[in-house]
Amino acid sequence: MKLFSCLMALLLFILQAVPGLSMAKDTLRCVGYHGFCFHSKSCPEPFAAFGTCSRRQKTCCIDTTSNFHTCQDEGGHCVPPEIKCLQEQVGLCPHREWKCCTEV
């Protein structure tokens, strides 16, 4: 199980290191503008709709009130909840449940 977690972390790192490897064009555009993809058609407060994500299946939402920093801007990596972080960091990830880690 530990080996599987390490392999998943490595795969995730590779996917993040190579831009555009697994993301749709509209998702790349959204993330490029520090947006987040939500399943709902409307964005929660304080976000505003900024287009689509996941080949028009999700809504791209942009924060309108704060000067937030994404996880990658802060030097971290976004990982799914099943991967444990050695050290968590402040920063927003494009997926709601994911967390920002400096070391996995």
Side-chain angles (χ1 to χ4, degrees):
M1 188 66 170
K2 194 171 191 177
L3 177 64
F4 178 74
S5 295
C6 289
L7 289 174
M8 288 303 294
L10 179 63
L11 176 65
L12 189 65
F13 176 76
I14 290 171
L15 288 176
Q16 288 182 349
V18 180
L21 187 63
S22 66
M23 286 193 227
K25 284 185 180 181
D26 57 352
T27 304
L28 284 172
R29 180 177 175 265
C30 181
V31 172
Y33 284 98
H34 302 291
F36 298 93
C37 297
F38 288 94
H39 288 285
S40 64
K41 293 295 179 188
S42 61
C43 299
E45 292 290 330
F47 292 93
F50 187 71
T52 61
C53 294
S54 301
R55 295 176 180 87
R56 298 183 182 180
Q57 294 180 358
K58 297 180 184 177
T59 303
C60 175
C61 300
I62 302 292
D63 189 349
T64 60
T65 62
S66 67
N67 58 354
F68 67 90
H69 295 281
T70 63
C71 183
Q72 287 81 7
D73 288 344
E74 297 298 321
H77 302 283
C78 291
V79 297
E82 57 267 11
I83 295 178
K84 296 195 184 234
C85 294
L86 294 177
Q87 185 176 358
E88 286 198 35
Q89 180 167 325
V90 175
L92 297 174
C93 293
H95 301 286
R96 248 188 206 174
E97 308 83 25
W98 289 28
K99 53 192 170 187
C100 183
C101 299
T102 54
E103 294 181 4
V104 179

